[in-house]
Amino acid sequence: MWEKLKKLFSSTWFNILLIVSLAGLVIYFTMRKDGAAIIGVLKNVNIPMVIGLVLLMVLERLILGWSLKLECNQTYPKYTLMQGFVNAYTAGLFCNITPGASGGQVAQGYIFRKQGIPVASSVGILWLDFIVYQATMTIYVLALIILRFNYFYSNFSKLFLVVLAGFAVSSGIIVFLFFIANSPKFYTWLTTNGLKLAHKLHIVKDIDQALDSLDKALYQFTKEIVVLRNHKSMILKLSLSVVLRLTIYYSIPFFCAKALNIPVGYDRLIDIIALSSYVAMINAFLPMPGSAGGTEATFILMFSTIFTRTDAASIMFLWRSITFYQTLIIGSLVFLYGKTRKDIPLDAELPRTYDSQTLKEELEGL
């Protein structure tokens, strides 16, 4: 039964159908009580501003594409911004249509291979991108939690605990990897008693397979740490690009309110950015493709502390269209473009680290 469910949820068409169905339920329940009022607010939308917001989200993908280009150019100088842009939209598309955003990096690996970058190299690039993004996002959201903790905790304390739990899960991944990479005692315990305990709790089925996967992940992680140490200027640029991307994404609800002519001052911008990040943290617990259903409900619940419920629902519809459905539509077109391109091998002209001996020595030191 479990295998059938896994196969079902691995189907792209099923996940798209699930997203549409959940979105339909959200629209039904949201519009059932005050649908006329919401439609009235949506009628006031500023179309040129909406187009500008769509372009802003395209810019967010372009920034990610530039980041991927910067990472790839360490080994493949001929990798272009357009190739990075295609890869970035592919990531957004498959993160949205797979449960828990699990298909994003797999699809990126496929596109990398079509673009001439072999699997071994693309794994390293994606690990580096993950490490920089996860670490930067953790610091970014932590700053927002500290800045707005008292206000939001007093408004919805129970829900804020879920936000903190989501933050703990998100940041815990990178902390966990750093810990096992730098603590031999913890790694020894994890690979012996830890895996046995997980096996008894039925969390891990095959201990040998789990150990092999852990060793591969840890090796790749520590190898990218060497890259981080040897390319500090590049890492700073990547981190700043993540900050810019997060700021764009988290501020979209504010500009959606402006586009709908809903009164909101710029003194509320930080609050709205914080709320957007909290919605993202709660999404860590939502396994549905694109966090469909739960995201919309959480958004309305949290943003109703700043706006009326009608205004919050109206903003949600516009925000979801610009951030989520725009990515599905443009991402599908971009992915089809990337998929139909002929494979063109790229020559690796630059070493990923200074030299193999440096890499070996630093890995042994870790």
Side-chain angles (χ1 to χ4, degrees), residues 75-149:
T75 308
Y76 301 92
K78 293 181 180 179
Y79 193 82
T80 66
L81 178 60
M82 176 56 72
Q83 289 176 311
F85 180 70
V86 170
N87 200 295
Y89 252 111
T90 297
L93 170 65
F94 281 89
C95 282
N96 283 350
I97 63 174
T98 52
S102 58
Q105 288 193 329
V106 175
Q108 282 183 280
Y110 168 76
I111 289 296
F112 269 135
R113 186 168 57 82
K114 292 287 291 181
Q115 293 172 338
I117 296 181
V119 174
S121 295
S122 66
V123 168
I125 293 165
L126 291 173
W127 260 100
L128 178 61
D129 185 68
F130 168 78
I131 294 169
V132 174
Y133 176 83
Q134 200 73 13
T136 306
M137 185 268 292
T138 297
I139 297 170
Y140 188 101
V141 176
L142 178 61
L144 291 173
I145 289 175
I146 293 172
L147 284 172
R148 290 295 183 267
F149 180 84

Side-chain angles (χ1 to χ4, degrees), residues 10 21 27-28 30 39 44 47 49 56 76 89 108-109 144 149 155 157 162 172 186 193 208 236 251 266 276 304:
S10 65
S21 301
I27 292 172
Y28 171 75
T30 303
I39 291 173
N44 295 323
I47 299 299
M49 193 168 181
L56 192 60
Y76 301 92
Y89 252 111
Q108 282 183 280
L144 291 173
F149 180 84
N155 276 277
S157 57
V162 181
F186 179 72
N193 297 331
D208 292 334
L236 177 60
S251 64
Y266 281 92
S276 297
S304 292

